[in-house]
């Protein structure tokens, strides 16, 4: 039998790999324009203060300085990604009246070189009136706490409730109820490329901005509103981007300042952040305090769950509202909870804002949920994997009013992870200092909630077909390293029966690619961007099918195909022609009008969360040195359901990268924040796993078919940020008797908590 | 006062005048427009700025340009043998999926070259140790390690 697909499921190398391997790929900071100025930001040294006065005169007089601005020079328009609810938009590009965290941007300088810009920063005098500050959620919620923002006198900026069934009745009907409190810490996305933006203002006053972003469309719109310009007068181009992981999906002050100062000076302006700025002031994963109560029947059947989460949001909302929403949704995922209640509150504190980071609320929520599952399994006397299988969601399950599980390989993932890891044997034959544990995840394939209030489709694609047998794909989807350009080309190649080399791609340029695409976050691109590409490709195909059908006088009931560069009647390849010939003929029939199609994807009637969920299970084996408390991870086994695998090598790469980040979250990475100041400002102090630290791993994809995804595909690689910490925590417990409810797992905590 | 020096980069000579405090990284990227060498931290902790000086890998962000007067420097732009598009290390990185965002890639490749020139048949542990000064946030390193092992097989033994 002929393979179902020609190019889906193949290890196609990334289309930009050669450019990156040779150093030819230009990232934003690699770009230079004639007359370009260099920008630097003055940041607040205080966690909370009123700005009395700013004197920039000395800085302005420094030779080589071309422009100095403060909040007073700007149109003072607040921004934020949740445009649908303008009250959540709480940030100014440069501080107006008040600063709210150490690092809050106060002024900006553009000068002929970086050294001059830095020197000028030192000449700016800011008079502050220091205000009382709060550094954790408890302090922020105290009655006497100072309010960070007038609009939120309680410091709770947004809350989210979910409720179905009857939780109280559920608990009274339970045989076993437990309650636990968990805390999780802040970590950095740690992308290798520091943020950089370069703005150019043309003679008509229009702006072109090259910027290291995951969301060119969001940057375009918010830049327009903060500058008081029209959206179409701003062009945002995403060059090569060195990773984002959620940390580059908002408008940022330096993007605004580059554009604003380029307009003022008539010269291009570039800002590039330092690693110290990234670590100390950059976006981070939310620290959270989670309280969870869960009830079971004696036989392990889940009956009810009550979950309350306080998110330590830092000084601004950033993507916190979405994280608040998602950590509540993920509290109810994986298992069947007939009764569920959630209250999430996003709390302002005087620290660098937390935001989206790989998993977007799920890693925190699932650390608590999965750890509690492991604790319950022990007390119920049921194997943790058995307990999960007993309660696991399956295809067709429904969360009332919230979501339908349209494809689910969770039970198979659990079974496979148990088999690969030798789970039964290793759990039983306990060796002191050795342990094995399990953690699981589910994740979204893009969100359905239109918080950005876009007036366009969520994803769009344009396909232009040419008589030489090639096509041009235009999409605003952003490849930030995950490989979406390659995957979208694969989807198009498969639909049209072409080779990768026949497709030219232009992506992530807001003036050239069709409106719109919400960007790279929440694992949305393969399903949504891919859906748009497929939709456009099918319109092209319809046209070609009509043309070829007319040429060969085919019976109307004939099915037709595009494959191997040809368009023909299915099963009768001789009744057909090459793709290029078909395009030429179609174009003739249209009296020269080129063959172009646009495709769109917008999720409709898909509940409140996502069109499709991924699932997976992971097992970790560790060895703990009982003298030092040092954990060494021996091996990781992962089985995950990401629907149809479009590019196995890319999926594996995502999986391995997730384990790297997951292990860091569990064991080594922590932003140490003292009185609002992030103390670890280098990679020496912020410890990410090196090649030597990484354990070996084994993985398997459980293939399911997701009806909503292109070719049956769905999310891969972001959800996997979640299972690692609970799996390692359980393995450490198995090895030592120390139960971690307070990430990260450190040698000190283990030594203190170890059962002697 | 600026110093007159000559840098030998990828076989080309660049006579330039530099301030004594400027790093090799700045001079490569800004003066010579060799932007394949990246800048990820400036403190010697990430390896994105790795170049070879007389065959040894160094962090260009911690190296002063004036100290490089007359030394042979190899950057990622000089990796492929003349007349060829890719070096075997680059080929292996491309084909093995060792590249995601690509920001660590030039530094990784040069650390790999440093290793393979002195140890043509490294073990996995030796590869991991050789690239342990290069951070990668995307790949989890496995595919990079596989690519380096693969490249060892592709490289012609030196006479
Ligand atoms: S930039 Fe030189 S080691 Fe990071
Ligand atoms: S590929 Fe992105 S940092 Fe290595």
């Amino acid at each position: 039998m002929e393979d179902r697909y020609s190019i889906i499921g193949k290890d196609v190398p990334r289309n930009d790999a050669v450019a990156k391997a040779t150093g030819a790929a230009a990232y934003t900071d690699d770009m230079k324009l004639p007359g370009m100025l260099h920008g630097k930001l003055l940041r607040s040294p205080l966690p909370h203060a009123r700005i009395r006065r700013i004197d920039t005169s000395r800085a302005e007089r420094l030779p080589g300085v071309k422009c100095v601005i403060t909040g007073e020079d700007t149109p003072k328009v607040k921004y934020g990604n949740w445009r649908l609810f303008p009250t959540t938009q709480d940030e100014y590009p440069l501080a107006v009246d008040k600063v709210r965290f150490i690092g809050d941007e106060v002024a900006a300088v553009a000068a002929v070189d970086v050294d001059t810009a830095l020197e000028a920063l030192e000449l700016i005098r800011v008079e502050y009136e220091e205000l009382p500050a709060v550094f954790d959620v408890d302090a922020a919620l105290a009655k006497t706490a100072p309010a960070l923002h007038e609009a939120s006198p309680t410091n709770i900026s947004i809350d989210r409730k979910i409720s179905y069934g009857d939780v109280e009745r559920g608990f009274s009907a339970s045989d076993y109820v437990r309650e636990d409190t968990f805390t999780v810490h802040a970590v950095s996305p740690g992308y290798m490329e520091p943020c950089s933006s370069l703005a150019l203002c043309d003679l008509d006053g229009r702006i072109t901005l090259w910027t290291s972003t995951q969301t060119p469309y969001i940057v375009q719109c918010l830049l327009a509103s903060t500058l008081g310009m029209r959206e179409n007068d701003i062009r945002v181009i995403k060059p090569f981007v060195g990773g984002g992981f959620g940390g580059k999906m908002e408008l940022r002050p330096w993007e605004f300042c580059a554009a604003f100062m380029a307009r003022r000076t008539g010269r291009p302006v570039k800002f590039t952040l330092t690693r110290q700025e990234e670590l100390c002031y950059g976006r981070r994963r939310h620290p959270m305090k989670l309280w969870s109560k869960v009830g079971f029947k004696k036989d392990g059947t889940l009956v009810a769950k009550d979950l309350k989460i306080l998110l330590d949001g830092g000084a601004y909302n950033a993507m916190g509202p979405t994280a608040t929403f998602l950590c509540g949704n993920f509290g109810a995922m994986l298992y069947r909870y007939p009764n569920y209640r959630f209250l999430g509150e996003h709390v302002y504190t005087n620290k660098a804002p937390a935001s989206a980071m790989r998993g977007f609320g799920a890693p925190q929520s699932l650390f608590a949920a999965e750890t509690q599952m492991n604790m319950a399994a022990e007390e119920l006397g049921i194997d943790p994997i058995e307990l999960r299988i007993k309660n696991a969601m399956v295809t067709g399950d429904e969360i009332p009013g919230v979501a339908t599980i349209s494809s689910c390989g969770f039970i198979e993932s659990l079974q496979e992870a148990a088999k690969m890891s030798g789970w039964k044997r290793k759990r039983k034959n306990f060796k002191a200092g050795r342990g094995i544990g399990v953690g699981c995840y589910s994740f979204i394939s893009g969100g359905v909630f239109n918080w950005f209030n876009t007036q366009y489709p969520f994803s769009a694609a344009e396909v232009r077909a040419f008589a030489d047998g090639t096509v041009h794909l235009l999409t605003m989807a952003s490849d930030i390293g995950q490989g979406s350009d390659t995957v979208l080309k694969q989807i198009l190649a498969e639909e049209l029966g072409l080779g990768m080399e026949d497709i030219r791609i232009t992506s992530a340029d807001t003036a050239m690619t069709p409106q719109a695409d919400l960007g790279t976050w929440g694992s949305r691109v393969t399903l949504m961007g891919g859906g748009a590409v497929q939709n456009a490709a099918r319109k092209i195909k319809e046209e070609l099918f009509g043309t070829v059908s007319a040429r060969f006088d085919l019976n109307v009931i004939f099915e037709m195909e595009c494959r191997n560069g040809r368009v023909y009647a299915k099963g009768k390849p001789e009744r057909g022609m090459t793709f290029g010939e078909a395009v030429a003929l179609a174009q003739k029939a249209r009296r020269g009008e080129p063959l172009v199609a646009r495709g769109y994807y917008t999720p409709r009637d898909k509940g409140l969360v996502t069109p499709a969920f991924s699932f997976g299970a992971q097992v970790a084996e560790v060895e703990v040195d009982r003298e030092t408390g040092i954990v060494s991870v021996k091996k990781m086994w992962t089985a995950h359901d990401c629907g149809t695998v479009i590019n196995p090598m890319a999926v594996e790469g995502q999986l391995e990268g997730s384990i790297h980040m997951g292990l860091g979250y569990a064991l080594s990475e922590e932003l140490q924040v003292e009185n609002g100041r992030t103390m670890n400002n280098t990679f020496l102090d912020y410890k990410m796993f090196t090649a030597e630290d990484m354990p070996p791993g084994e993985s398997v994809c459980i293939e399911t078919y997701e009806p909503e995804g292109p070719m049956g595909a769905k999310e891969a690689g972001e959800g996997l940020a979640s299972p690692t910490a609970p799996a390692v925590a359980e393995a450490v417990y198995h090895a030592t008797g120390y139960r971690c409810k307070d990430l990260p797992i450190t040698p000190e905590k283990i030594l203190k908590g170890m059962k002697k | 006062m600026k110093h007159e020096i000559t840098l030998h980069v990828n076989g080309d000579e660049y006579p330039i005048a530099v301030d004594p405090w400027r790093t090799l990284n700045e001079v490569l990227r800004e003066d010579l427009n060799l932007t394949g060498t990246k800048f990820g931290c400036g403190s010697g902790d990430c390896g994105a700025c790795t170049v070879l000086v007389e065959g040894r890998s160094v962090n260009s962000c911690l190296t002063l340009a004036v100290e490089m007067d007359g030394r042979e420097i190899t950057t990622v732009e000089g990796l492929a043998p003349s007349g060829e598009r890719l070096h075997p290390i680059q080929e292996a990185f491309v084909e093995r999926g060792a590249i995601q965002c690509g920001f660590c890639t030039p530094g990784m490749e040069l650390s790999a070259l440093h290793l393979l020139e002195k140890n043509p048949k490294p073990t996995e542990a030796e590869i991991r140790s050789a690239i342990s000064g290069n951070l990668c946030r995307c790949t989890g390193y496995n595919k990079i390690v596989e690519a380096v092992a693969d490249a060892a097989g592709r490289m012609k033994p030196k006479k």
Side-chain angles (χ1 to χ4, degrees), chain A residues 159-178:
Chain A
D159 62 15
R160 157 109 180 123
K161 297 185 181 104
I162 304 174
S163 176
Y164 50 84
D166 184 335
V167 176
E168 300 309 336
R169 280 192 36 202
F171 287 131
S172 17
S174 300
D175 300 316
Y176 167 68
V177 176
R178 67 169 304 127

Side-chain angles (χ1 to χ4, degrees), chain B residues 25 38-50 59-62 133:
Chain B
N25 187 271
K38 298 302 175 213
F39 182 81
C41 71
S43 54
D45 301 316
C46 78
C49 65
T50 305
N59 290 326
S60 63
C61 73
L62 295 183

Side-chain angles (χ1 to χ4, degrees), chain B residues 80-107:
Chain B
S82 66
E84 290 190 34
R85 193 164 75 132
L86 297 175
H87 185 277
I89 293 177
Q90 293 170 316
E91 272 171 21
F93 269 64
V94 169
E95 287 166 27
R96 290 282 181 155
I99 302 171
Q100 287 187 32
C101 82
F103 205 76
C104 69
T105 306

Side-chain angles (χ1 to χ4, degrees), chain A residues 498-612:
Chain A
L498 299 175
M500 293 293 275
E501 66 285 355
D502 301 324
I503 302 173
R504 165 200 284 263
I505 183 167
T506 300
S507 60
D509 175 337
T510 63
M512 293 296 150
T513 57
Q515 270 60 32
D517 185 278
L518 290 176
T520 292
W521 50 267
S523 295
R524 56 181 299 286
V525 180
T526 298
L527 188 138
M528 297 191 182
V533 169
Q534 200 174 35
N535 182 236
R538 289 187 174 165
K539 291 177 185 169
I540 296 277
K541 268 161 82 167
E542 265 318 299
E543 183 90 19
L544 297 181
F545 288 170
T547 305
V548 173
S549 176
R551 164 74 182 72
F552 288 94
D553 194 20
L554 296 177
N555 191 315
V556 290
I557 61 167
F558 271 23
E559 185 62 280
M560 301 190 70
E561 289 193 301
C562 282
R563 213 162 178 165
N564 300 326
R566 290 181 61 78
V567 187
Y568 55 91
K570 190 170 181 184
K572 299 194 163 43
E574 71 291 350
R575 302 213 200 160
M577 59 185 81
T578 67
F579 184 87
E581 287 163 350
V583 172
L585 211 54
Q587 197 173 325
K588 263 284 184 255
R590 296 151 63 102
R591 314 272 327 257
E593 185 187 325
L595 188 52
V596 177
R598 286 219 168 153
Y600 300 102
Y601 181 89
T602 302
R604 295 195 176 101
D605 198 19
K606 298 286 166 211
L608 300 179
V609 190
T610 183

